[in-house]
Amino acid sequence: MVRDTAVLLDEKRVFEPKNEILERAHVKNWEEEIEKGKNLEKYWSEKAEQFEWFQKWDKVLDDDNKPFYKWFTGGKINLAYNAVDRWIETEKRNQVAILYINERGEEKKITYYELYIQVNKLANALKNLGVRKGDTVSTYMPMCPELLIALLACTKIGAIHSVVYSGLSVGAFVDRINDAKAKVLFTADGTYRRGKIIDLKAIADEAILQCPTIETIVVVNHTGIPIQISELSGREIFYERLVDGEPAYCEPEWMDAEDPLFILYTSGSTGKPKGVLHTTAGYMVGVATTLRNIFDIHDNDLWWCTGDIGWITGHSYVIYGPLLLGTTTVVYEGAPDYPDPGVWWKIVEKYGVTKFYTAPTAIRHLMRFGTRYTDLYNLESLRILGTVGEPINPEAWMWYYQNVGKEKCPIMDTWWQTETGMHLISPLPVTPLKPGSATLPFPGIDADVVDEEGNPVPMGKGGYLVIKKPWPAMFRTLYKDEDRFLDVYWKEYSGCIYKAGDMVRKDEDGYFWIQGRSDDVLKIAGHRIGSAEVESAFVGHPAVAEAAVIGKSDPIKGEVIKAFIILREGYELKTQLIEDLKNHVRYELGPVAVLGEIVQVDKLPKTRSGKIMRRILRAQEMGEDLGDTSTLEE
Ligand code: 6R9
């Protein structure tokens, strides 16, 4: 959903950093830091020095074979070792690493030492299951400590993890697991969602029938609901049984800097999800540096990122970033408004959260309750706030700033993607802020706005967002699909520049105002989902002959799906069928696919070669000019 530029152009407010923020900040002068970032290799090698390397790198950036950039080549390192083991010999040994809280108000605290032991045990158990360096392990888990432990255990032994978001359903699950050829699957008996327990195991059981590569299913007893486990099949085992009796030490695998770390599937313009591949050292350096400098992480911070580990936000900023910095990371399982819309603020007060990072959709949702809940709790502990996932409208920004941050916490509006691995455009705490703008590229990041031909556009005019120089946490390819990697991201413009897929405008101060996707990717409540995936779910229903979907603007979720469908003969779009279709799409894709409206049509706008022109439907929907219709079939 592209934002209305006219409204944004009117946004002139600027918020300068407060003194307390300036005094504490790791980076006190953002202009100077941006200057430093211009020397890419020096800048990033200094950041990399802070980690423990088994063997130091020979070269910071190898750009011999663009866009297959390599970082820290020759270096040997283990990310789990740096995120966990490294702290055991320090005063952080008994500090809480993971603070798990759920919607029932239950909590679990796991110290760095305890985490170390648990990761080691599971790492050894995985080895016993035959998992080796380079093998793939998938998870379909709630936000719970075992998920973090599982991912860290993979990382420790060099297995590649591939997380499937627990809000995705059977169809999406099967595609992802089979593409990654996962050997082991971690799942759980269930997850808490608004007072109910969703039986994840049942969904996994059904999906797994279509996943031939899975040799072992590890089941975490998380909610305690009775479940079917068929140990007799030899394929299923309870997590506790698996780790029981394993040795408490596991030698970390010496990984090459460029060894794969994880695959994370995300939606593109076609129906097939993209397996975004990240590698070890560059990712590590990128996420730790951005988190440290953007959220100004210090030793006594309590960090809470509400993003789910099923998305990149959770990978980079619930697990890896915070643990690499030795901070305490809150892992919350639940919704923002259950049991009531004060639940998050209650947690902030109870534990003294200092840095809080969430999505604009959640803010817009909570904003409806005015100050009733934000006033009920003491939010004084908060120092820096953040947002991610979609553009934040100035109104929501102001509500967040005034009522959550009490006008003393700067808001870090961080623009980035699954592909970028780390924040690329974001303020630092000392950057003057403008509500609704992600402000400026992070030091070392060369972002720009170009037109269709790749020429820079004049100030104030909208265009396509591109990144012109490599960055350490960049994805290295699409898993088993190098051609698509090159086609989608690198071929549009000459000179090997990265095409992000977003529309953006730069103002007179060089500030970036992200306007939304330029492709057929939807952002529903911050969750990325492809139009084509939804359409293919629709046509999987016996009543539907053809379908086209677009994003329809929604005051809370940012956008929801509007579907145009052609029914097969003998079907009528009555209430019952609408319900059936909604359930069907939900079954295929999960609750992320929020359907706003389904309308029946006789015809869909198509090109002469038969491609659906969603652009025409969008223009029609907005009452706009249809634009170039020369390729439209009769
Ligand atoms: C981290 C994440 C990426 C897409 C991206 C853009 C949108 C993310 C944003 C933002 C405006 C921000 N997006 N952050 N738009 N302002 N601060 O969300 O990754 O799921 O891959 O989505 O999200 O459209 O292209 P991912």
Coordinates of all heavy atoms in Angstrom, one line a residue, residues 1 268-272 518-522 529-539 546-552 561-564 604-607 610-622 624-626 628 631-632:
M1 N 0.9 -1.2 0.0 CA 0.0 0.0 0.0 C 0.9 1.2 0.0 O 1.7 1.4 0.9 CB -0.9 0.0 1.3 CG -1.8 1.1 1.4 SD -3.0 1.4 0.1 CE -3.6 -0.3 -0.2
G268 N 7.8 -13.3 -2.2 CA 8.1 -12.4 -3.3 C 6.9 -12.2 -4.2 O 5.8 -12.3 -3.7
S269 N 7.2 -11.8 -5.4 CA 6.1 -11.5 -6.3 C 5.4 -12.7 -6.9 O 4.3 -12.6 -7.4 CB 6.5 -10.6 -7.4 OG 7.3 -9.6 -7.0
T270 N 6.1 -13.8 -6.9 CA 5.5 -15.0 -7.4 C 5.0 -15.9 -6.3 O 5.3 -15.6 -5.1 CB 6.5 -15.8 -8.3 OG1 7.5 -16.4 -7.4 CG2 7.2 -15.0 -9.3
G271 N 4.3 -17.0 -6.6 CA 3.8 -17.8 -5.5 C 4.8 -18.5 -4.7 O 4.6 -18.8 -3.5
K272 N 5.9 -18.8 -5.2 CA 6.9 -19.6 -4.5 C 7.7 -18.7 -3.5 O 8.3 -17.7 -3.9 CB 7.9 -20.2 -5.6 CG 8.8 -21.3 -5.1 CD 9.6 -21.8 -6.2 CE 10.6 -22.9 -5.8 NZ 11.8 -22.3 -5.1
S518 N 6.9 -1.7 -4.0 CA 6.7 -1.4 -5.4 C 6.3 -2.6 -6.2 O 6.1 -2.6 -7.4 CB 8.0 -0.8 -6.0 OG 9.1 -1.7 -5.9
D519 N 6.3 -3.8 -5.5 CA 6.0 -5.0 -6.2 C 4.7 -5.6 -5.6 O 3.9 -4.9 -4.9 CB 7.1 -6.1 -6.0 CG 7.5 -6.3 -4.6 OD1 6.8 -5.8 -3.7 OD2 8.5 -6.9 -4.3
D520 N 4.4 -6.8 -5.9 CA 3.1 -7.4 -5.5 C 3.2 -8.1 -4.1 O 2.7 -9.2 -3.9 CB 2.6 -8.4 -6.5 CG 2.1 -7.6 -7.7 OD1 1.4 -6.5 -7.5 OD2 2.4 -7.9 -8.9
V521 N 4.0 -7.5 -3.2 CA 4.1 -8.1 -1.9 C 3.3 -7.2 -1.0 O 3.3 -6.0 -1.0 CB 5.6 -8.0 -1.4 CG1 5.7 -8.3 0.1 CG2 6.4 -9.0 -2.2
L522 N 2.5 -7.9 -0.1 CA 1.6 -7.2 0.8 C 2.3 -7.2 2.2 O 3.1 -8.1 2.5 CB 0.3 -7.9 0.9 CG -0.5 -8.3 -0.3 CD1 -1.7 -9.1 0.0 CD2 -0.8 -7.0 -1.1
I529 N 3.6 -11.0 2.9 CA 2.9 -12.1 2.2 C 2.7 -11.7 0.7 O 2.4 -10.6 0.4 CB 1.6 -12.5 2.9 CG1 1.0 -13.7 2.4 CG2 0.6 -11.4 2.9 CD1 0.0 -14.4 3.4
G530 N 2.9 -12.7 -0.2 CA 2.8 -12.4 -1.6 C 1.4 -12.5 -2.1 O 0.7 -13.4 -1.8
S531 N 1.0 -11.6 -3.0 CA -0.3 -11.6 -3.7 C -0.5 -13.0 -4.3 O -1.6 -13.6 -4.2 CB -0.5 -10.6 -4.7 OG -0.1 -9.3 -4.2
A532 N 0.6 -13.4 -5.0 CA 0.4 -14.7 -5.7 C 0.2 -15.9 -4.8 O -0.5 -16.8 -5.2 CB 1.7 -14.9 -6.6
E533 N 0.8 -15.9 -3.6 CA 0.6 -17.0 -2.7 C -0.9 -17.0 -2.3 O -1.5 -18.1 -2.2 CB 1.4 -16.7 -1.4 CG 2.8 -17.1 -1.5 CD 3.6 -16.7 -0.3 OE1 3.9 -15.4 -0.2 OE2 3.9 -17.5 0.6
V534 N -1.5 -15.9 -2.1 CA -2.9 -15.8 -1.6 C -3.8 -16.3 -2.8 O -4.7 -17.0 -2.6 CB -3.3 -14.4 -1.2 CG1 -4.7 -14.4 -0.6 CG2 -2.3 -13.9 -0.2
E535 N -3.4 -15.8 -4.0 CA -4.2 -16.2 -5.2 C -4.2 -17.7 -5.4 O -5.2 -18.3 -5.7 CB -3.7 -15.5 -6.4 CG -4.0 -14.0 -6.4 CD -3.2 -13.1 -7.3 OE1 -2.3 -13.7 -8.0 OE2 -3.4 -11.9 -7.3
S536 N -3.0 -18.3 -5.2 CA -2.9 -19.7 -5.4 C -3.7 -20.5 -4.3 O -4.3 -21.5 -4.6 CB -1.4 -20.1 -5.6 OG -1.0 -20.8 -4.5
A537 N -3.7 -19.9 -3.1 CA -4.6 -20.5 -2.1 C -6.1 -20.5 -2.5 O -6.8 -21.5 -2.4 CB -4.4 -19.9 -0.8
F538 N -6.5 -19.3 -3.1 CA -7.9 -19.2 -3.5 C -8.2 -20.2 -4.6 O -9.2 -20.9 -4.5 CB -8.1 -17.8 -4.1 CG -8.7 -16.8 -3.1 CD1 -7.9 -15.8 -2.5 CD2 -10.0 -17.0 -2.7 CE1 -8.5 -14.9 -1.6 CE2 -10.6 -16.1 -1.7 CZ -9.8 -15.1 -1.2
V539 N -7.4 -20.3 -5.6 CA -7.7 -21.2 -6.7 C -7.6 -22.7 -6.3 O -8.1 -23.5 -7.1 CB -6.9 -20.9 -8.0 CG1 -7.3 -19.5 -8.6 CG2 -5.5 -21.0 -7.8
E546 N -10.6 -18.4 -10.9 CA -9.4 -17.4 -11.0 C -9.5 -16.4 -9.9 O -10.6 -16.1 -9.4 CB -9.5 -16.7 -12.3 CG -9.1 -17.5 -13.5 CD -9.0 -16.6 -14.8 OE1 -8.2 -15.6 -14.8 OE2 -9.8 -16.9 -15.7
A547 N -8.4 -15.9 -9.5 CA -8.4 -14.9 -8.4 C -7.3 -13.9 -8.6 O -6.2 -14.3 -9.1 CB -8.2 -15.7 -7.0
A548 N -7.5 -12.7 -8.1 CA -6.5 -11.7 -8.1 C -6.7 -11.0 -6.7 O -7.8 -10.7 -6.3 CB -6.7 -10.7 -9.2
V549 N -5.6 -10.7 -6.1 CA -5.7 -10.0 -4.8 C -4.8 -8.8 -4.8 O -3.8 -8.7 -5.4 CB -5.4 -10.9 -3.6 CG1 -6.2 -12.2 -3.6 CG2 -3.9 -11.2 -3.4
I550 N -5.3 -7.8 -4.0 CA -4.5 -6.6 -3.8 C -4.6 -6.2 -2.3 O -5.4 -6.8 -1.6 CB -5.1 -5.4 -4.7 CG1 -6.5 -5.1 -4.3 CG2 -4.9 -5.6 -6.1 CD1 -7.0 -3.8 -4.9
G551 N -3.7 -5.3 -1.9 CA -3.8 -4.8 -0.6 C -4.8 -3.7 -0.5 O -4.8 -2.8 -1.3
K552 N -5.6 -3.7 0.5 CA -6.6 -2.6 0.7 C -6.2 -2.0 2.0 O -6.0 -2.6 3.0 CB -8.0 -3.2 0.8 CG -9.1 -2.2 0.8 CD -10.4 -3.0 0.8 CE -11.5 -2.2 1.3 NZ -12.3 -1.4 1.2
I561 N -6.3 -8.0 2.8 CA -6.4 -8.5 1.4 C -7.8 -8.2 0.8 O -8.8 -8.4 1.5 CB -6.3 -10.1 1.4 CG1 -4.8 -10.4 1.9 CG2 -6.5 -10.6 0.0 CD1 -4.7 -11.9 2.3
K562 N -7.8 -7.7 -0.4 CA -9.1 -7.6 -1.1 C -9.0 -8.6 -2.3 O -8.0 -8.5 -3.1 CB -9.4 -6.2 -1.6 CG -10.7 -6.2 -2.4 CD -11.3 -4.8 -2.5 CE -12.5 -4.9 -3.3 NZ -13.2 -3.6 -3.4
A563 N -9.9 -9.5 -2.4 CA -9.8 -10.5 -3.4 C -10.9 -10.4 -4.5 O -12.0 -10.1 -4.1 CB -9.9 -11.9 -2.8
F564 N -10.5 -10.5 -5.7 CA -11.4 -10.5 -6.8 C -11.4 -11.9 -7.4 O -10.4 -12.4 -7.8 CB -11.0 -9.5 -7.9 CG -10.8 -8.1 -7.4 CD1 -9.7 -7.7 -6.7 CD2 -11.9 -7.2 -7.6 CE1 -9.6 -6.4 -6.3 CE2 -11.8 -5.9 -7.1 CZ -10.6 -5.5 -6.5
L604 N -10.9 -10.6 -15.1 CA -9.8 -10.0 -14.4 C -8.9 -9.2 -15.5 O -8.7 -9.7 -16.6 CB -8.9 -11.0 -13.7 CG -9.6 -11.6 -12.4 CD1 -8.8 -12.8 -11.9 CD2 -9.8 -10.6 -11.3
P605 N -8.4 -8.1 -15.1 CA -7.5 -7.4 -16.0 C -6.2 -8.2 -16.2 O -5.6 -8.5 -15.3 CB -7.3 -6.0 -15.4 CG -7.5 -6.2 -13.9 CD -8.5 -7.4 -13.8
K606 N -5.9 -8.5 -17.5 CA -4.7 -9.3 -17.8 C -3.9 -8.7 -18.9 O -4.5 -8.0 -19.8 CB -5.1 -10.7 -18.2 CG -5.6 -11.5 -17.0 CD -5.8 -12.9 -17.4 CE -6.5 -13.7 -16.3 NZ -7.1 -14.9 -16.9
T607 N -2.7 -9.0 -18.9 CA -1.9 -8.6 -20.1 C -2.2 -9.6 -21.2 O -2.8 -10.7 -21.0 CB -0.4 -8.7 -19.8 OG1 -0.1 -10.1 -19.5 CG2 0.1 -7.9 -18.7
G610 N -1.4 -13.0 -20.5 CA -2.2 -13.7 -19.5 C -1.8 -13.4 -18.0 O -2.3 -14.0 -17.1
K611 N -0.9 -12.4 -17.8 CA -0.5 -12.1 -16.5 C -1.6 -11.1 -15.9 O -2.0 -10.1 -16.5 CB 0.8 -11.4 -16.4 CG 2.0 -12.4 -16.4 CD 3.3 -11.6 -16.5 CE 4.1 -11.6 -15.3 NZ 5.3 -10.8 -15.5
I612 N -1.9 -11.4 -14.6 CA -2.9 -10.5 -14.0 C -2.3 -9.1 -13.7 O -1.2 -9.1 -13.2 CB -3.4 -11.1 -12.6 CG1 -4.1 -12.4 -12.9 CG2 -4.3 -10.1 -11.9 CD1 -4.4 -13.2 -11.7
M613 N -3.0 -8.1 -14.1 CA -2.5 -6.7 -13.8 C -3.1 -6.2 -12.5 O -4.1 -5.5 -12.6 CB -2.8 -5.8 -15.0 CG -2.0 -6.2 -16.2 SD -2.3 -5.2 -17.7 CE -1.2 -3.8 -17.3
R614 N -2.5 -6.5 -11.4 CA -3.0 -6.1 -10.2 C -3.0 -4.6 -10.0 O -3.8 -4.0 -9.3 CB -2.2 -6.7 -9.0 CG -2.2 -8.2 -9.1 CD -1.5 -8.8 -7.9 NE -1.3 -10.2 -8.0 CZ -0.2 -10.8 -8.5 NH1 0.8 -10.0 -8.9 NH2 -0.1 -12.1 -8.6
R615 N -2.1 -4.0 -10.7 CA -1.9 -2.5 -10.7 C -3.2 -1.9 -11.2 O -3.6 -0.8 -10.6 CB -0.8 -2.2 -11.7 CG -0.5 -0.7 -11.9 CD 0.7 -0.6 -12.8 NE 0.6 -1.1 -14.2 CZ -0.1 -0.4 -15.1 NH1 -0.7 0.7 -14.9 NH2 -0.1 -0.9 -16.4
I616 N -3.9 -2.5 -12.1 CA -5.2 -1.9 -12.6 C -6.3 -2.0 -11.5 O -7.0 -1.0 -11.3 CB -5.7 -2.6 -13.9 CG1 -4.6 -2.6 -15.0 CG2 -7.0 -2.2 -14.4 CD1 -4.6 -1.4 -15.9
L617 N -6.3 -3.1 -10.9 CA -7.3 -3.3 -9.8 C -7.0 -2.3 -8.7 O -8.0 -1.7 -8.1 CB -7.2 -4.7 -9.2 CG -7.6 -5.9 -10.2 CD1 -7.3 -7.2 -9.6 CD2 -9.1 -5.8 -10.5
R618 N -5.7 -2.1 -8.4 CA -5.4 -1.1 -7.3 C -5.8 0.3 -7.7 O -6.4 1.0 -6.9 CB -3.9 -1.2 -7.1 CG -3.5 -2.2 -6.0 CD -2.0 -2.0 -5.6 NE -1.1 -2.1 -6.7 CZ -0.4 -3.3 -6.9 NH1 -0.6 -4.3 -6.1 NH2 0.4 -3.4 -7.9
A619 N -5.6 0.6 -8.9 CA -5.9 2.0 -9.4 C -7.4 2.2 -9.3 O -7.9 3.2 -8.9 CB -5.4 2.2 -10.8
Q620 N -8.1 1.1 -9.8 CA -9.6 1.2 -9.8 C -10.1 1.4 -8.3 O -11.0 2.2 -8.1 CB -10.1 -0.1 -10.3 CG -10.9 0.0 -11.6 CD -11.1 -1.4 -12.2 OE1 -10.9 -2.4 -11.6 NE2 -11.6 -1.3 -13.4
E621 N -9.5 0.6 -7.5 CA -9.9 0.6 -6.1 C -9.7 2.0 -5.4 O -10.5 2.5 -4.7 CB -9.0 -0.4 -5.3 CG -9.4 -0.6 -3.9 CD -10.7 -1.3 -3.7 OE1 -11.2 -2.0 -4.6 OE2 -11.3 -1.1 -2.6
M622 N -8.6 2.7 -5.8 CA -8.3 4.0 -5.2 C -9.0 5.1 -6.0 O -8.8 6.3 -5.7 CB -6.8 4.2 -5.3 CG -5.9 3.1 -4.7 SD -5.6 3.2 -3.0 CE -4.3 4.5 -3.0
E624 N -8.1 5.9 -9.0 CA -7.1 6.7 -9.7 C -7.1 6.4 -11.2 O -7.7 5.4 -11.6 CB -5.7 6.2 -9.1 CG -5.4 6.8 -7.8 CD -4.2 6.2 -7.1 OE1 -3.6 5.3 -7.7 OE2 -3.8 6.6 -6.0
D625 N -6.3 7.1 -11.9 CA -6.1 6.9 -13.3 C -5.5 5.5 -13.5 O -4.6 5.1 -12.7 CB -5.1 8.0 -13.8 CG -4.9 7.9 -15.2 OD1 -5.9 7.9 -16.0 OD2 -3.7 7.8 -15.6
L626 N -5.9 4.8 -14.5 CA -5.4 3.5 -14.7 C -4.0 3.3 -15.2 O -3.4 2.3 -15.3 CB -6.4 2.7 -15.7 CG -7.8 2.5 -15.2 CD1 -8.6 1.6 -16.1 CD2 -7.9 2.0 -13.8
D628 N -0.8 3.3 -17.7 CA -0.5 2.7 -19.0 C -1.3 1.4 -19.2 O -1.1 0.4 -18.5 CB 1.0 2.4 -19.2 CG 1.3 1.8 -20.5 OD1 0.5 1.7 -21.4 OD2 2.5 1.4 -20.6
T631 N -0.7 -2.7 -22.5 CA -0.5 -4.2 -22.6 C -1.8 -4.9 -22.1 O -1.8 -6.2 -22.1 CB 0.7 -4.6 -21.6 OG1 0.4 -4.1 -20.3 CG2 2.0 -4.1 -22.1
L632 N -2.8 -4.2 -21.8 CA -4.0 -4.8 -21.3 C -4.7 -5.5 -22.4 O -4.9 -4.9 -23.5 CB -4.9 -3.8 -20.7 CG -6.1 -4.2 -19.9 CD1 -5.7 -4.9 -18.6 CD2 -7.0 -3.0 -19.5

